[in-house]
Amino acid sequence: MFKPPSYVFNGPFASARQSANDSKRWLLVNVQRDSDFASHALNRDVWGEEMVESLVVEGFIFWQVMDDTDEARTYIERYNVTSFPHIAFIDPRTGRSVYSKSGWSMENPVTAETFLESAVDFCDSNSFDRPPKAPLPPRPSPTSGPLPP
């Protein structure tokens, strides 16, 4: 419906993560669902805004995919995404999701202003000059029971 921005990274998640790490930028992920208008509205109302583009190009590698691709399905499973659209900031050094937001509606949308506020706050409090935060322990699956001591 509304085309993705020109600054989207073309390639698989692993390559986007490596590119972000090599360039000392964060990885911005956006998983969209074709049947969800809020996903399309991001391209028009958020990613198309000049200030958003400037911030993303300067501080992030932007990886955007539709939820029905193999790459997206792998990401969705690995990062436990349950609703769409989905936005995340990934630390490319560790692969850890350090911010995410999923499943909003057109009644309560992510706007260019709210995205910029979240992204600027994130960039102000995170730096490649500091070691990455320790990864979180894996979550037990509902069928696996508690983790061993």
Side-chain angles (χ1 to χ4, degrees):
M1 185 173 293
F2 301 107
K3 69 180 187 168
S6 61
Y7 54 92
V8 169
F9 181 89
N10 291 309
F13 177 79
S15 297
R17 181 177 164 195
Q18 186 63 54
S19 179
N21 193 48
D22 292 347
S23 62
K24 296 189 182 316
R25 292 189 280 171
W26 306 106
L27 179 57
L28 170 59
V29 172
N30 174 216
V31 182
Q32 299 191 347
R33 177 166 279 166
D34 192 45
S35 62
D36 186 343
F37 184 74
S39 291
H40 295 285
L42 281 172
N43 288 342
R44 180 192 65 192
D45 300 336
V46 178
W47 311 134
E49 287 293 316
E50 187 176 327
M51 287 188 65
V52 170
E53 180 177 349
S54 293
L55 177 70
V56 171
V57 168
E58 181 69 26
F60 296 87
I61 294 294
F62 182 41
W63 187 68
Q64 183 185 68
V65 291
M66 297 305 277
D67 72 316
D68 60 353
T69 64
D70 289 340
E71 280 286 321
R73 282 190 283 273
T74 299
Y75 175 89
I76 289 164
E77 183 177 321
R78 181 176 295 146
Y79 289 94
N80 196 31
V81 177
T82 58
S83 57
F84 303 94
H86 167 82
I87 297 172
F89 303 153
I90 306 293
D91 185 331
R93 300 168 294 180
T94 63
R96 180 179 183 193
S97 175
V98 289
Y99 168 88
S100 69
K101 183 168 179 64
S102 295
W104 57 92
S105 66
M106 290 309 297
E107 290 78 36
N108 187 22
V110 168
T111 64
E113 293 78 20
T114 59
F115 173 79
L116 283 167
E117 182 179 314
S118 297
V120 167
D121 287 349
F122 172 80
C123 290
D124 285 349
S125 62
N126 293 277
S127 169
F128 273 89
D129 295 332
R130 293 190 299 267
K133 295 177 183 175
L136 297 173
R139 289 185 247 168
S141 69
T143 57
S144 68
L147 291 174

